[in-house]
Amino acid sequence: MLDLESLAKSFRGTAAVSGISFSLGQGEVLGFLGQNGAGKSTTMRMIAGVLEPDAGDARILGHSIISARRDAQKLIGYLPEGAPLYADMTPIGFLRFLADTHGLSGPDRRSAIDRVIADARIASVTHQPISTLSKGYKRRVGLAGAILHDPPVLLLDEPTDGLDPVQKRAVRALIARMAPEKAILISTHTLEEVPAMCSRVIVVDRGMVVADSTPDDLAASQPGGLEQAFIQLASDMSDNSA
Amino acid sequence: MMRELANLWTGVRAAWRREVFAFFATPLAYVFIAIFLIVLGVFTWDLSRFFDTGAADLGPFFYWHPWLYLLFMPALAMRLWSDETSAGTSELLLALPVSLPGLVIGKLLAAWTVAAAALILTFPWWITANILGPADNAAIALSYFVSLIMAGAYLGVGACISALTRSPVLAFVCGVIIAFLLTAAGWPLVTGAIADVFGTAAGDSIATFSFLTHFETAQRGVLELRGLAFYLGFIALCIVLNTIFVSHRRSGVQ
Ligand SMILES: Nc1ncnc2c1ncn2[C@@H]1O[C@H](COP(=O)(O)OP(=O)(O)O)[C@@H](O)[C@H]1O
Ligand SMILES: [Mg+2]
C-alpha cells in the first residue's frame, strides 16, 4: 500500500535522508527506529506531502506524492511529531474543521466524527478547550484527526512520546485495533514498546536503512536483545563513516 | 476545472468557519470591534469636530478610515498564519488534501468578516448624518462599500506578512509599516514632496499606488472602476503571494 523509492532530502547541503526505500502492506505495523536526528521525521514528512523530496518518490496505493499529491494525501492519515493542535478549539471543533477540509458534510461528517470519537475514546472531553486537556488526551485527539477520513495508510510520528505508561497503553491499544485494515508506519526511539506494537522493524541511521527485520529476529541477533542490536547498528554506521 | 473550483471552495469554507469561530470564541473580535468603534468615534467627533461643521456629511468620519485601518487591520491579520507556524499546525494543513489558495482566501475572508462587523456597527453615524439634514445617502453607501473593499486590501497585506514569521508581534509591526507606506503614498504631504523633487508626474504616479487616493474618489460619490480594480487586484496579489509564502515551506526552508 505504501512504496518508498529512494527518498532523499538535504537541508542546506547536509543530507537528512539519503535514499530510503521500502514497501509496506496491509496489516503491517512497521516500527521506524532510529536515534534522534536519524531522519525518521523527515522521511514521514516527505511521505505525507509536507516536505518535497530532493529525489525519489513515495506511492500510496500507486498515487505518487509528487505528481498526484492530493490523491495521495487523501489516503494518508498523518500525526506529526508532537501532535500539534489548535489550542483554542475544542476536540469537536477541531474534528469538524478537519471534516470540512476533507469535504465531508451532513450525515457523513457526523458519522465520521462519532466514529473517531469512539475509536480514540475522547467522548468525555469533546467540548473542553484543547489547551486544558492532558497530554494523553491531546495525543488521542491528534490521532482521531488522523483517522477521521478512514485512510488506508497511517503515518504516526512518535505517537507515544512524552506519555505516561497508562496513556501509552491507550494509544497502543488504539493502534492495535486499527492495524488489520491498514498499513501503519510508526516512528519511535523507545525500544520497549516495539515488540508490543510492531510486526516489523526498520532501523535508520544517518538517513539510511540499516536493518529491516521483525522485532523478534532483531532481538535474537544480539545476546543483549533489541536494545543492543539497536546500539550496535547505530554505532557500526558511525564507525564506518568516521 | 470544476473539480479545482470545488476543492477551492472546500478550503475557503473550512478555513473561514474555523477562523471566524476562533475570532468570536475568544474576546479578540469583540475587543477589536469595541476599540475600533471608540477610536473612530473619538477621531471623528473630537479631532474632526463632526458636529461643529453642522453638515449632514460623513466626510470627517470616512476621512479617518484608511488611517485607522493601517493600525487595526494588521492587528486583525497578524495571527492568521504566524500562529500556524508557531503551533506547528501548518504541518497538519500541508498534509491535508485541501486547496492551499482556498485556505488562504478563507482565512482572509474570516478577518474581513470581523472588519465588516465593525463597519456595520458604525451605523449610528449614518443615522446621525440623516438627522442633521438631508444626506447624500448614495454617496455614503458607496463610501461604505469602497471602505470595506479597502479594508480587505489592508488585511491582505497583514495576512501575507503573517505567513513570513512565527511571531504575531513582528507580523503586526511589519504590517503596519507596509500599510503606512501604502497609505502615505497618497497623502498630499508626501505626494507634494515627491512632486517637488521628481516632478508632478512622479508625485501622481506614486499616488496611484496609494490606498488613500482611490478612497478619496469614492468619498466624492464617484464609483471609479479603476479604483475598485486597484483594490481587488491588490487583494488578489496578496492572496497569490500568501499562497507562495506558505507553500514555500514544502521546500524545507524555515
Ligand atoms: N527543516 C529543517 N532544516 C534543517 N535541518 C533539518 C530540518 N529538519 C530536520 N533537519 C535535520 O535533519 C536531520 C534529521 O532530522 P529528523 O528527520 O527530524 O530526525 P528524527 O525524526 O529521526 O529525530 C537532523 O540532523 C535535523 O537536524
Ligand atoms: Mg523526529
Side-chain angles (χ1 to χ4, degrees):
Chain A
M1 296 220 268
L2 173 66
D3 296 283
L4 270 61
E5 297 158 8
S6 336
L7 271 185
K9 182 76 191 177
S10 305
F11 295 106
R12 279 176 232 99
T14 315
V17 172
S18 13
I20 287 192
S21 307
F22 61 81
S23 291
L24 196 60
Q26 182 173 353
E28 277 191 292
V29 180
L30 173 59
F32 201 43
L33 308 188
Q35 292 173 296
N36 277 325
K40 306 181 294 291
S41 296
T42 304
T43 306
M44 296 178 103
R45 295 176 73 210
M46 287 192 282
I47 304 171
V50 171
L51 196 63
E52 273 161 6
D54 294 340
D57 199 351
R59 289 175 192 284
I60 296 90
L61 278 81
H63 299 285
S64 158
I65 197 67
I66 294 167
S67 56
R69 187 169 67 214
R70 206 167 285 161
D71 291 327
Q73 284 181 327
K74 282 181 187 158
L75 304 169
I76 298 175
Y78 172 48
L79 182 73
E81 192 165 9
L85 297 167
Y86 293 101
D88 57 348
M89 298 182 103
T90 59
I92 189 92
F94 175 65
L95 294 173
R96 281 186 189 141
F97 165 66
L98 288 180
D100 284 348
T101 64
H102 286 293
L104 294 170
S105 58
D108 288 346
R109 183 170 97 151
R110 211 164 316 126
S111 67
I113 292 175
D114 288 347
R115 175 176 54 78
V116 296
I117 286 176
D119 280 352
R121 314 249 151 105
I122 51 172
S124 59
V125 298
T126 42
H127 293 282
Q128 239 169 280
I130 287 174
S131 57
T132 66
L133 299 182
S134 73
K135 230 172 179 178
Y137 270 119
K138 280 184 186 158
R139 200 59 55 91
R140 278 189 270 168
V141 171
L143 272 166
I147 59 176
L148 184 69
H149 52 303
D150 200 16
V153 173
L154 280 182
L155 310 171
L156 311 176
D157 199 348
E158 307 201 2
T160 58
D161 187 48
L163 302 185
D164 68 34
V166 179
Q167 295 167 334
K168 277 187 187 184
R169 196 158 60 178
V171 169
R172 280 208 301 267
L174 171 58
I175 292 167
R177 281 201 298 282
M178 297 184 300
E181 303 107 64
K182 300 189 190 296
I184 305 181
L185 179 61
I186 300 178
S187 87
T188 177
H189 55 243
T190 25
L191 294 171
E192 310 88 69
E193 61 188 25
V194 169
M197 239 184 345
C198 309
S199 59
R200 181 178 158 196
V201 279
I202 281 184
V203 182
V204 283
D205 189 62
R206 298 171 177 225
M208 280 176 282
V209 175
V210 292
D212 182 348
S213 166
T214 66
D216 290 343
D217 288 350
L218 193 62
S221 70
Q222 289 285 331
L226 199 56
E227 188 175 340
Q228 202 188 341
F230 177 72
I231 292 166
Q232 192 73 40
L233 285 162
S235 56
D236 272 0
M237 286 304 297
S238 314
D239 292 346
N240 291 347
S241 55
Chain B
M1 182 62 195
M2 284 315 290
R3 202 172 143 219
E4 274 308 304
L5 278 181
N7 271 328
L8 187 78
W9 173 240
T10 302
V12 171
R13 204 181 46 171
W16 183 84
R17 276 194 191 167
R18 191 203 103 70
E19 295 298 335
V20 166
F21 179 85
F23 273 123
F24 287 100
T26 60
L28 201 72
Y30 306 103
V31 169
F32 171 87
I33 292 173
I35 296 179
F36 178 79
L37 292 177
I38 291 168
V39 174
L40 183 57
V42 168
F43 276 34
T44 307
W45 192 330
D46 229 45
L47 266 58
S48 296
R49 310 236 159 262
F50 179 67
F51 289 108
D52 291 359
T53 62
D57 172 15
L58 282 183
F61 165 78
F62 285 117
Y63 173 84
W64 292 110
H65 283 201
W67 298 102
L68 291 191
Y69 287 171
L70 84 80
L71 275 177
F72 279 85
M73 296 304 142
L76 207 50
M78 67 186 180
R79 293 191 171 277
L80 285 180
W81 289 100
S82 61
D83 269 5
E84 303 276 358
T85 316
S86 59
T89 42
S90 56
E91 190 83 3
L92 286 177
L93 292 185
L94 290 175
L96 289 170
V98 71
S99 153
L100 194 53
L103 295 180
V104 169
I105 294 170
K107 276 175 178 273
L108 180 64
L109 285 177
W112 213 344
T113 305
V114 179
L119 210 50
I120 287 170
L121 289 173
T122 62
F123 71 90
W125 289 105
W126 196 345
I127 294 174
T128 310
N130 276 284
I131 292 171
L132 286 176
D136 184 352
N137 284 319
I140 293 176
L142 178 69
S143 297
Y144 262 112
F145 172 68
V146 177
S147 177
L148 180 62
I149 301 289
M150 180 172 66
Y154 280 103
L155 286 172
V157 174
C160 219
I161 290 168
S162 82
L164 290 173
T165 168
R166 57 173 60 233
S167 152
V169 177
L170 193 61
F172 173 72
V173 172
C174 295
V176 170
I177 291 170
I178 294 183
F180 176 77
L181 294 177
L182 284 163
T183 311
W187 208 8
L189 215 64
V190 174
T191 47
I194 291 172
D196 285 347
V197 180
F198 299 104
T200 321
D204 287 350
S205 59
I206 288 287
T208 51
F209 289 103
S210 165
F211 289 178
L212 211 54
T213 316
H214 297 286
F215 188 51
E216 277 168 357
T217 346
Q219 277 177 264
R220 291 198 301 272
V222 189
L223 175 62
E224 221 190 18
L225 283 181
R226 203 171 56 130
L228 209 55
F230 168 77
Y231 289 125
L232 294 177
F234 190 89
I235 293 167
L237 176 71
C238 289
I239 290 170
V240 170
L241 286 178
N242 197 337
T243 307
I244 291 173
F245 293 159
V246 177
S247 62
H248 187 57
R249 289 175 198 177
R250 286 195 210 274
S251 70
V253 214
Q254 283 174 330

